[in-house]
Amino acid sequence: MTAADLYAVLELRHLVFVVEQVCPYPELDGRDLLPDTVHLWWQPDSTPLSYLRVLGAPDSERRVGRVCTAATARGTGLGSKLMAAAIDLIGPDESVLDAQLPAQALYARFGYLPEGEPFDEDGILHIRMRRPGQSRTATSV
């Protein structure tokens, strides 16, 4: 990821989460720079239209976060495409995410199940969702 790529995805995240959702929160949490963080985004031209990140090392519980799509690209399936790519990346590992309540159905399509009660995060209702780990099948030679 180049500095220009990082700037562009941070700008998209800021526009969606801070400006559009009127939610001033610490967007820069230091996790983007961790060695096991993977950034996935869709950028057909000079501006990213959709983004998410996967935190955590393989063979551990992974966390999907900062899932966002530009207002001009919503309803085009980009969020689902990135989630499919994230699931491919995560593989059989367990993963968790904190879904905004209106997006819960999107994540359910990828095997995420609600866990616990909805909670307020920065003035927006969320629910923790977990995708159980998939059993790894051993092959015999």
Side-chain angles (χ1 to χ4, degrees), residues 79-95:
S80 291
K81 288 180 183 178
L82 283 184
M83 279 303 298
I87 295 300
D88 285 345
L89 174 74
I90 292 166
D93 293 340
E94 181 174 34
S95 59

Side-chain angles (χ1 to χ4, degrees), residues 12-132:
L12 173 63
R13 287 174 16 186
H14 177 80
L15 287 173
V16 171
F17 296 123
V18 178
V19 176
E20 182 182 328
Q21 296 182 356
V22 191
C23 184
Y25 75 105
E27 162 59 17
L28 299 176
D29 60 5
R31 298 174 96 179
D32 294 309
L33 300 173
L34 295 175
D36 56 9
T37 297
V38 178
H39 302 271
L40 302 174
W41 71 98
W42 177 257
Q43 184 173 336
D45 294 315
S46 61
T47 305
L49 295 178
S50 194
Y51 169 88
L52 64 76
R53 71 182 183 186
V54 178
L55 304 173
D59 297 321
S60 68
E61 178 182 86
R62 312 290 291 277
R63 174 171 280 280
V64 175
R66 301 295 201 263
V67 181
C68 61
T69 299
T72 58
R74 292 195 189 128
T76 62
L78 290 179
S80 291
K81 288 180 183 178
L82 283 184
M83 279 303 298
I87 295 300
D88 285 345
L89 174 74
I90 292 166
D93 293 340
E94 181 174 34
S95 59
V96 66
L97 54 83
D98 293 335
Q100 291 184 8
L101 287 187
Q104 187 175 350
L106 165 69
Y107 304 119
R109 291 195 316 245
F110 293 95
Y112 286 88
L113 304 170
E115 182 177 272
E117 296 298 317
F119 59 93
D120 182 287
E121 184 174 323
D122 299 313
I124 299 171
L125 283 178
H126 287 72
I127 190 159
R128 169 96 11 109
M129 297 184 79
R130 184 173 304 277
R131 182 175 173 268

